[in-house]
Amino acid sequence: MGGEGRPGARGRLRLGLLLVLLQAALAVQPSQGFLRSAGPRHNSLKIVGSIIFPVKVYVKLDHNSPRILCVTNHLRNSELIDPIFRWNGPSGYLSSENSSVQISPTGTLILRRFKSHLSGVYNCSLLYKLTATQPDKKLILKYLIYAYSDPQYYYELTVRYHAAPCNSFYNISFEKALIQILNKLVAELSCEVMLIKSECHHVKMQRGGLQNEMFFTFSVTCLDREENNRLCQRSACDASHRLNKAKYLIERFFKQEVEVRKKTAKPLPEIYYIEGTLQMVWIDRCYPGYGMNALRHPGCPECCVICSPGSYNPSNGIHCLQCNSSLKYGATKC
């Protein structure tokens, strides 16, 4: 690189594209911010038990559970005399003395700020009479309570550029500038662009010679941030909405780069976007120990639900894999 010398005419052409990129970036800035809502709405859902099968309950990580009632749907509408409720969880007897547990006098359970290790089997024992003269009746209701999170979806962006010689520092400088510009495009959406891979190759052209090309792969994600000092409509704050907005801005940016280049009479810079090479693919992923399974969890088909005993997820995939030796919830290895 020491032999490159000070930038001459070719260097000015290489760097000239950066100015074109900056102009295009400024032209497609969004007019307003799209930010995550201040917090989830209060969950007033009530879940009743069954004497026929365990009832599945899904609780979002770090949120409160729905109201879990220690009655069946039939008993919910009946008068119960001298009812006694007793809840047990994966670690034994549950009491409101625990800050993460709230049990009402009528036996309703709320799990506060739910964590993954709280997932498992919960039982409620109900002792009651329907009339004062009848003997006590006893029911044991079983609940399977699962932690879940929203999928950590993102776009994978691939794009190719005509490049300077593969050992040139101009390629490195351009790569840094391109990342900065793409991040500037999506910053108002609380999204970010990260470089996954960058490679320079010699490409034999059809009916032509060799040319240098840079192959870029980026991820485009929206950050989980809550901005309490700014308001926006709930749909506009949604992460998937912001991610699709970011996709639109990035696609428009590369389209405008081609349009600007076609309108100028100047020679092509040495580094420029190769028209038609932009690809953006939507990818779902879950945290390790979580997975998506609409058949097993029809009540939460698009959720990343904690892996049950007998399964695991070691990476940021979207499925819990079978593992008979896995005995805990949320296993990340077999």
Side-chain angles (χ1 to χ4, degrees), residues 36 151 153-155 191 222 224 234-247 282 284:
R36 193 174 182 85
Y153 31 68
Y154 67 100
Y155 273 109
C191 299
C222 286
D224 290 327
R234 186 172 183 83
S235 61
C237 297
D238 180 72
S240 61
H241 176 93
R242 291 185 284 121
L243 190 57
N244 281 316
K245 180 69 173 178
K247 176 179 181 288
W282 177 281
D284 287 323

Side-chain angles (χ1 to χ4, degrees), residues 110-129:
I110 297 178
L111 300 169
R112 301 169 58 84
R113 298 180 294 278
F114 197 75
K115 304 297 183 184
S116 58
H117 70 271
L118 297 175
S119 299
V121 178
Y122 286 72
N123 291 309
C124 181
S125 172
L126 168 59
L127 195 68
Y128 70 97
K129 297 176 182 178

Side-chain angles (χ1 to χ4, degrees), residues 5 8 35 40 89 140 248 308:
L35 301 171
I140 296 180
Y248 166 77
S308 299

Side-chain angles (χ1 to χ4, degrees), residues 215-250:
F215 292 65
F216 293 111
T217 303
F218 300 98
S219 66
V220 186
T221 58
C222 286
L223 308 179
D224 290 327
R225 291 179 178 173
E226 293 184 356
E227 299 286 349
N228 295 324
N229 60 337
R230 298 180 66 177
L231 300 177
C232 64
Q233 295 181 353
R234 186 172 183 83
S235 61
C237 297
D238 180 72
S240 61
H241 176 93
R242 291 185 284 121
L243 190 57
N244 281 316
K245 180 69 173 178
K247 176 179 181 288
Y248 166 77
L249 292 174
I250 290 171

